[in-house]
Amino acid sequence: MPPSVLSFLVAAAAMPMTGKQPPGLIFLGFIVATLSAYAAQELARQAFVGDTLRGRWLWTAGFALASGMWSGHFIGMLGFRDPNTISYDINAMFEALAIALMSCVAALFIVASRVSKLVRWLLGSAVAGSGLFAMHYVGMSGLQTSATLQYDRALVALSAVAGVGLTTLAFWCAMYPARTQRRVRFLGAPLMGAAVAGLHYTGMTGVTLTPSLGLINSSRLVITPGLLALIVGASTLSTFALAALALAIERRAHEQVAVVLSEITDAFYAVDRDWRVTYLNPQALKYFSEGRERVLYRKLWDVIPQPMTAALYPRVHQAVVEQSTQRVELTYQDRWYETDVYPSQQGVSMYLRDITDRKAAEHALRQAAAERDLARNRFLQIAAHELRNPMAGVKSLLSLMQWLSEEGKPMPNVLHAAELMEREIDRMSNLLNEIIEAFQADEGVLDLEFKPIDLAAIVRMNLEPYRNQVGQHQLTVDLPPEGQAPVHGDPDRLGEVVRCLLANAVKYSLRCGEIHVRLVTEGNQAVLSVCDDGIGIPVDELDRVFDGFFRGSNLKDRDPGGLGLGLFITRQIVRRHGGEIHVQSSNHMGATFTVSLPLHRPS
Amino acid sequence: MADLLVIDDEPTIVHALETLLTCSGHRVKTAPNGLSALEQLQTRPLPDLILVDLYMPLMSGSRLVATLRLDPALRTIPVILVTGAVPSPVDFPPDGSYQALIRKPFSVREVLAKVNEVLLGVGR
């Protein structure tokens, strides 16, 4: 409380009075009015903050202010006693209360309206101040005493000046200071208290009581000062209780909102109509590394980095103009932000979140999809190419036969031609089978028939045709005796595995290369290895060997063809048998494929 | 009657071309790839025409053609490319280093026509 007001009050209380005006009661009136005004100010502020219940907050604030004025006046009146009996007309009391209430509520609605600030201030404080003045003198008119009351006109005028003037000052303090100057705003309440106490004191100083023999009009409903004290006390208390309750509810709701906003991962900014940041949550601080106090109440465009402003401003503007939600993606310093802008009563609310990771994930997904597309296209290309060769062979032979019969010439070596055609058709059908198997393997629906088998026998059986085919290759085979490598598996599929590994060894090694096939048992595993000394596989491509359509980058124009599905299918078959396949290799150093399968020893 | 060399890694194609050209009265030799063809070209008589596949292991058709064009004894032998794939331009030997192109699958009449055309062109 500023010293000037205090000293004024102390001086006022110490002055000799015409009636009795104990300084303690005047001061109490001032305190009650001040506290009510403060409560009213806080309640009214909710009307500016909250989007809803605006009218209700204004009514509550008006009620708090009015009851503070009224209580302040009648607390003062409690000290006004004279030897004559004094009582109060109950109607006048309520009239006074009604006047206070109407003027206060009207004043607050004026202040909260949308006309110019100067008009709101002057008109609002004029209404409140004159309401205070009217309340005082209507209250006085209800004074029931045997003495005659006389008013000093000059002092009545002075009381009006004090009441309206101080009210105007109080409203200025409440309305004008920038948000940073909170201390000035807190002056509003004591000034309002001073307006109530000052008007009362000045007005009462101008009252002279002349004893007369006039009778009190006993037909009117009156109350005694004791009862008045009770009523005033109760009214004051209930006003405070109401204000405290309202504020507690509001604060709690506000805190809940604040808690929610501080816990969400988005940065949140509330921005008012003048683009000032009125609230920001802790996350918002992380983005633009300035202290909260430095950001708060600054213009949004001074807070948001310049490059983002250019993209953000049009959307925020659109949100305000169209009263619609806007979403915009911004990039700043290699990071991506997604911003949602919502129009609000005060201006706009902005949620800003870092979506760099999401953007990266989206990018990775797009890239993966592109790679899948590429692999699919490559597959179609390879498959078409691989099917085209045998088809071209068959077609050529047929065309030849047709031509020969047209020319009336005999077909030489028909048997050889038939064998060739059959081989080409087998090639095509094998390719188609491989494609179908690859799809089944990919979907995990390879058809397998498990039964107890001897892996050594399977290997031997499937090697046999290769002994002739490998031609100039040196093939060495190292197998355990019959029955030493029993496994539970599909003999056809495991044969396929052996043939695939051997075919690869032949395909990717020199004509005179060495190929070793070895089957051993290690613990409860049967381990089959196929080792060649061919062109090998570059080390950084080893983990892709078992993916479909793989072609080593070291093949270049030596590519012997094929779909690149063999190892893909092989791994699926091995895995379905509960086994695993590995490869060891490096460029030009040959390759070793190792298949381990669980042994199945009948107990 | 001419001496022809057919080079292709597909036995069926080789057999078809060999039969066709032999029945048309030519003498035909075959090779499964460019390298083996080069070996054969060291012996005489030299062929009057070479039919060569583009994609083959060990030595591709375009590399063979490039090699032929550098050899004073072999540079004048005409070449017909026989290719199954739709090759990318980089896999082709340079223009002018081959006389004709046949796509697989071919019709035998087309092969005969092109072979005769090239042989006649050389004779002129």
Side-chain angles (χ1 to χ4, degrees):
Chain A
M1 195 187 304
S4 57
V5 178
L6 253 182
S7 55
F8 163 78
L9 277 170
V10 171
M15 272 167 77
M17 289 169 221
T18 315
K20 278 182 187 165
Q21 298 214 66
L25 280 175
I26 296 285
F27 186 66
L28 185 64
F30 164 75
I31 293 293
V32 167
T34 300
L35 290 175
S36 305
Y38 176 71
Q41 193 179 347
E42 285 301 307
L43 291 166
R45 221 149 60 87
Q46 301 303 329
F48 290 85
V49 176
D51 290 351
T52 52
L53 304 175
R54 194 177 158 84
R56 241 180 269 181
W57 283 118
L58 288 176
W59 271 97
T60 317
F63 184 75
L65 185 60
S67 74
M69 279 184 182
W70 188 81
S71 303
H73 169 75
F74 280 100
I75 288 169
M77 289 307 288
L78 287 175
F80 191 76
R81 294 183 183 180
D82 71 342
N84 306 295
T85 323
I86 282 185
S87 60
Y88 298 91
D89 176 16
I90 204 159
N91 286 338
M93 273 175 65
F94 280 111
E95 276 163 30
L97 182 60
I99 286 167
L101 192 57
M102 306 266 267
S103 61
C104 286
V105 171
L108 288 174
F109 269 94
I110 288 167
V111 168
S113 69
R114 290 180 191 246
V115 291
S116 91
K117 204 166 188 179
L118 187 69
V119 173
R120 286 189 280 142
W121 166 48
L122 290 177
L123 196 63
S125 48
V127 167
S130 51
L132 174 66
F133 178 78
M135 180 205 73
H136 177 83
Y137 286 98
V138 168
M140 286 300 287
S141 73
L143 194 67
Q144 303 289 305
T145 174
S146 54
T148 312
L149 265 72
Q150 279 178 320
Y151 294 100
D152 181 328
R153 288 187 178 191
L155 281 170
V156 167
L158 186 63
S159 77
V161 170
V164 176
L166 284 167
T167 304
T168 310
L169 266 180
F171 271 52
W172 186 89
C173 286
M175 288 170 69
Y176 269 90
R179 290 184 193 246
T180 39
Q181 295 165 281
R182 285 184 176 191
R183 268 172 249 153
V184 176
R185 204 169 63 221
F186 280 114
L187 266 181
L191 276 170
M192 197 63 224
V196 173
L199 184 145
H200 182 84
Y201 177 79
T202 324
M204 295 312 285
T205 310
V207 173
T208 320
L209 288 167
T210 314
S212 74
L213 294 171
L215 289 171
I216 299 168
N217 186 351
S218 55
S219 66
R220 300 179 81 171
L221 197 59
V222 294
I223 50 172
T224 56
L227 193 56
L228 177 68
L230 270 177
I231 292 171
V232 168
S235 134
T236 307
L237 276 177
S238 61
T239 304
F240 285 164
L242 182 72
L245 186 70
L247 285 172
I249 290 169
E250 174 58 24
R251 192 145 298 151
R252 203 164 136 200
H254 206 77
E255 275 165 8
Q256 275 171 352
V257 171
V259 164
V260 168
L261 286 175
S262 70
E263 281 178 359
I264 59 170
T265 49
D266 298 357
F268 173 79
Y269 302 83
V271 180
D272 71 8
R273 288 197 179 89
D274 300 325
W275 301 118
R276 279 195 300 254
V277 176
T278 53
Y279 177 84
L280 73 166
N281 69 353
Q283 278 72 18
L285 286 174
K286 286 195 212 139
Y287 288 122
F288 314 113
S289 53
E290 289 185 83
R292 184 185 169 84
E293 291 305 321
R294 292 177 141 199
V295 174
L296 215 52
Y297 306 125
R298 272 175 59 194
K299 299 262 182 180
L300 180 67
W301 310 118
D302 298 335
V303 175
I304 301 271
Q306 197 69 39
M308 294 177 86
T309 308
L312 193 57
Y313 180 79
R315 291 310 189 82
V316 176
H317 195 258
Q318 199 180 350
V320 173
V321 171
E322 293 177 2
Q323 287 291 298
S324 62
T325 305
Q326 298 290 326
R327 170 168 287 191
V328 57
E329 284 184 1
L330 311 158
T331 174
Y332 174 62
Q333 286 182 347
D334 296 333
R335 299 202 74 79
W336 278 92
Y337 301 94
E338 184 177 71
T339 308
D340 286 325
V341 185
Y342 299 96
S344 69
Q345 279 273 324
Q346 306 120 278
V348 291
S349 301
M350 259 175 48
Y351 293 85
L352 191 127
R353 67 194 72 93
D354 189 326
I355 55 163
T356 311
D357 292 345
R358 198 178 80 195
K359 279 272 174 190
E362 281 172 4
H363 181 73
L365 275 178
R366 271 199 301 274
Q367 208 158 20
E371 271 169 24
R372 268 201 309 278
D373 280 358
L374 204 69
R376 196 190 53 204
N377 290 346
R378 212 172 51 214
F379 162 72
L380 289 172
Q381 217 172 349
I382 291 171
H385 179 80
E386 292 291 316
L387 285 169
R388 196 185 167 97
N389 279 342
M391 188 272 294
V394 174
K395 180 112 197 298
S396 310
L397 282 177
L398 287 172
S399 169
L400 173 68
M401 288 162 125
Q402 207 175 0
W403 177 75
L404 284 170
S405 74
E406 278 169 18
E407 297 283 312
K409 293 176 181 173
M411 173 89 184
N413 210 350
V414 179
L415 195 62
H416 183 56
E419 274 171 15
L420 283 170
M421 276 199 267
E422 192 179 11
R423 204 193 296 172
E424 299 292 26
I425 288 168
D426 284 348
R427 247 173 94 188
M428 286 191 268
S429 112
N430 286 342
L431 281 165
L432 292 174
N433 280 340
E434 198 180 332
I435 293 170
I436 290 165
E437 266 185 25
F439 278 111
Q440 286 176 338
D442 194 31
E443 286 168 13
V445 294
L446 266 182
D447 208 8
L448 295 180
E449 268 183 58
F450 288 91
K451 58 182 173 192
I453 48 169
D454 178 18
L455 192 57
I458 300 285
V459 173
R460 188 172 301 116
M461 205 163 71
N462 285 282
L463 283 181
E464 218 43 62
Y466 277 89
R467 285 201 190 275
N468 305 322
Q469 270 191 36
V470 290
Q472 289 144 303
H473 287 91
Q474 298 283 321
L475 179 62
T476 56
V477 181
D478 183 6
L479 296 180
E482 290 280 331
Q484 289 294 296
V487 296
H488 193 66
D490 184 320
D492 294 338
R493 297 293 187 187
L494 289 177
E496 221 174 286
V497 168
V498 175
R499 290 197 301 274
C500 170
L501 295 180
L502 202 64
N504 278 345
V506 170
K507 263 206 283 193
Y508 299 109
S509 56
L510 302 171
R511 265 186 290 183
C512 49
E514 290 182 15
I515 299 170
H516 298 280
V517 178
R518 191 160 175 261
L519 176 63
V520 293
T521 56
E522 285 173 9
N524 55 356
Q525 299 275 312
V527 181
L528 171 72
S529 58
V530 177
C531 174
D532 67 63
D533 57 359
I535 61 168
I537 302 150
V539 173
D540 56 336
E541 295 172 13
L542 279 178
D543 53 346
R544 283 166 39 212
V545 165
F546 299 106
D547 297 345
F549 318 119
F550 171 77
R551 313 304 294 164
S553 64
N554 55 346
L555 286 172
K556 299 196 181 86
D557 59 346
R558 285 178 298 190
D559 197 334
L563 292 174
L565 294 173
L567 286 174
F568 173 70
I569 297 167
T570 293
R571 181 170 67 173
Q572 298 306 116
I573 293 172
V574 171
R575 284 187 171 170
R576 286 283 299 278
H577 282 79
E580 199 42 84
I581 182 165
H582 299 286
V583 60
Q584 277 181 304
S585 181
S586 59
N587 207 355
H588 303 300
M589 300 289 283
T592 302
F593 284 86
T594 311
V595 174
S596 32
L597 294 169
L599 285 173
H600 180 69
R601 290 204 175 93
S603 47
Chain B
M1 164 74 85
D3 286 306
L4 306 179
L5 176 59
V6 172
I7 313 161
D8 201 313
D9 59 328
E10 299 278 344
T12 314
I13 297 291
V14 172
H15 181 74
L17 287 175
E18 191 184 5
T19 311
L20 168 70
L21 296 168
T22 309
C23 290
S24 309
H26 300 291
R27 279 186 300 274
V28 181
K29 288 183 178 174
T30 63
N33 57 60
L35 205 60
S36 141
L38 270 185
E39 282 168 18
Q40 286 197 31
L41 288 169
Q42 301 311 309
T43 62
R44 299 298 181 266
L46 288 174
D48 301 308
L49 171 65
I50 294 173
L51 288 99
V52 60
D53 183 22
L54 207 50
Y55 295 113
M56 290 181 297
L58 295 175
M59 185 188 264
S60 68
S62 54
R63 196 174 299 174
L64 174 72
V65 172
T67 313
L68 292 182
R69 295 299 172 245
L70 291 173
D71 189 320
L74 306 175
R75 70 188 339 161
T76 53
I77 305 175
V79 168
I80 296 178
L81 289 181
V82 184
T83 178
V86 182
S88 66
V90 288
D91 293 335
F92 269 100
D95 277 351
S97 62
Y98 60 95
Q99 279 59 47
L101 178 72
I102 295 171
R103 289 199 188 279
K104 289 190 266 187
F106 46 73
S107 83
V108 293
R109 289 186 194 284
E110 183 197 2
V111 175
L112 286 179
K114 290 218 165 142
V115 166
N116 288 334
E117 189 183 308
V118 173
L119 285 173
L120 283 174
V122 171
R124 255 194 314 233

